Amino acid sequence: MSRQGQVKNRAPAPIQISAEQILREAADRQEKHVLAPTVKIHDAEEYQSHLRDRRKHFEDNIRYRREHIGNWVKYAKFEEENKEFERARSVFERALEVEHRSSELWLRYAEYEMRNEFVNHARNVFDRAVQLLPRVDFLWYKYVYMEEMVGDIPKCRAVFERWMKWMPDDNAYLAYSRFETRCDQFDRAQQVMRRYVNAYPCSRSFLRFAKWAEFEAKDVPLARTVFEATLSDLEPEEAKQARVFKQFSSFEERQGEYERARVIYKH
């Protein structure tokens, strides 16, 4: 048997140390946090000198770790804080030459443009990003969110249509239908949901369509039609799932159609 790891002396130590003492000693030995000195600038010449020093610091960091996105973002943030918007934009463009497939970098770039209300520049950044990375959903979400916030409904709808060509997941279709619902375009929203169930013909999509019809569109007949289509149009292994019958019967109960709910439960 190996002797390694065996304790030879099991007697208690002559000096016992409590956990409180260990923590107190650790706190006493911590180095004091030293704040960076405050730089006071008195004239334009000193200000320009300060900018040059800071830029040299950021450029040195980039040379040391060129592929580290954080260095580029901090550099651009510094230029933004000093209202040097063209320089900040130039930093982001240089960063994209190094790592053009970084979705996080594209997002930071677009958020910078939006934060400073350069809407057309932000559109340009998002447009380039989704062309290069069409499978990254959060870029599309941010793109349509920006268009809706600036009130350009046709452009927002056009972006959604571009997104739908890539067959995104079901949440993208739901976001599109809710956008049309917020615009009081219920017919368009319903068309989006029909496209959704055609793209993903499964019980999950049909049940989400029915839920949308009942709670968001407030269209009870449509919701009932969708539930019935779930049972008749889908494959048996999809249509016969317990959750389909449970949600259908619960829907009928909410409408006060207890006889209908009873018939569904019998199946």
Side-chain angles (χ1 to χ4, degrees):
M1 185 176 177
S2 175
R3 295 175 176 273
Q4 186 175 2
Q6 292 183 356
V7 179
K8 295 182 179 179
N9 186 359
R10 300 179 184 273
I15 301 176
Q16 297 293 312
I17 302 176
S18 65
E20 181 183 357
Q21 184 179 352
I22 293 173
L23 292 174
R24 187 169 56 249
E25 289 181 2
D28 292 340
R29 293 180 182 181
Q30 282 185 348
E31 295 182 0
K32 294 183 179 180
H33 180 65
V34 179
L35 296 175
T38 303
V39 178
K40 294 184 178 181
I41 298 173
H42 301 284
D43 54 34
E45 185 177 352
E46 287 187 2
Y47 174 65
Q48 292 301 323
S49 176
H50 168 68
L51 291 182
R52 283 194 298 272
D53 291 343
R54 294 294 292 156
R55 284 175 185 141
K56 183 179 183 303
H57 168 74
F58 285 117
E59 292 288 350
D60 290 342
N61 286 343
I62 288 170
R63 278 194 294 272
Y64 176 65
R65 292 190 64 187
R66 185 176 176 81
E67 73 287 350
H68 185 53
I69 299 301
N71 288 337
W72 294 98
V73 173
K74 289 176 183 176
Y75 192 179
K77 184 68 175 176
F78 165 77
E79 298 291 5
E80 180 186 1
E81 289 172 349
N82 288 279
K83 307 300 180 184
E84 296 283 356
F85 299 119
E86 287 297 332
R87 284 181 174 273
R89 194 171 290 123
S90 174
V91 171
F92 276 118
E93 291 293 341
R94 288 171 58 197
L96 288 172
E97 291 178 4
V98 176
E99 191 57 74
H100 67 283
R101 300 199 66 84
S102 170
S103 55
E104 182 66 24
L105 179 58
W106 282 106
L107 181 62
R108 294 292 187 93
Y109 190 2
E111 286 178 339
Y112 153 74
E113 300 288 11
M114 288 192 294
R115 192 163 52 245
N116 294 285
E117 301 181 358
F118 299 123
V119 176
N120 287 331
H121 282 288
R123 279 195 185 111
N124 177 265
V125 173
F126 274 127
D127 195 66
R128 291 162 59 195
V130 297
Q131 285 186 39
L132 188 65
L133 304 168
R135 296 295 183 184
V136 181
D137 285 343
F138 70 79
L139 292 174
W140 290 102
Y141 280 117
K142 285 286 188 177
Y143 196 176
V144 295
Y145 173 78
M146 182 197 73
E147 295 294 2
E148 187 175 359
M149 288 299 98
V150 300
D152 200 331
I153 302 305
K155 272 194 171 63
C156 186
R157 187 174 288 123
V159 174
F160 267 119
E161 287 296 332
R162 286 176 58 192
W163 190 8
M164 295 303 107
K165 292 178 182 178
W166 290 95
M167 292 290 290
D169 63 11
D170 46 4
N171 290 324
Y173 283 91
L174 291 172
Y176 191 4
S177 68
R178 285 167 181 159
F179 159 73
E180 295 291 6
T181 303
R182 289 193 296 273
C183 297
D184 295 326
Q185 298 290 331
F186 293 102
D187 290 340
R188 286 179 177 270
Q190 184 177 331
Q191 291 173 8
V192 172
M193 294 305 293
R194 291 188 183 279
R195 288 165 61 184
Y196 166 44
V197 296
N198 288 331
Y200 298 98
C202 61
S203 59
R204 174 185 172 87
S205 62
F206 274 77
L207 292 177
R208 295 189 110 179
F209 187 7
K211 184 178 180 180
W212 173 87
E214 180 185 1
F215 294 105
E216 297 188 38
K218 310 296 182 183
D219 191 337
V220 172
L222 175 61
R224 183 174 287 118
T225 301
V226 175
F227 275 120
E228 292 170 351
T230 307
L231 298 175
S232 61
D233 295 351
L234 292 179
E235 295 294 328
E237 60 269 16
E238 288 286 338
K240 301 297 183 181
Q241 292 182 13
R243 63 176 180 171
V244 174
F245 294 100
K246 181 179 179 181
Q247 292 190 31
F248 193 1
S249 59
S250 298
F251 161 76
E252 294 294 1
E253 287 182 41
R254 288 193 295 272
Q255 310 312 317
E257 297 286 350
Y258 299 110
E259 191 59 37
R260 283 176 174 268
R262 190 174 292 111
V263 172
I264 296 169
Y265 275 123
K266 286 181 180 179
H267 283 78

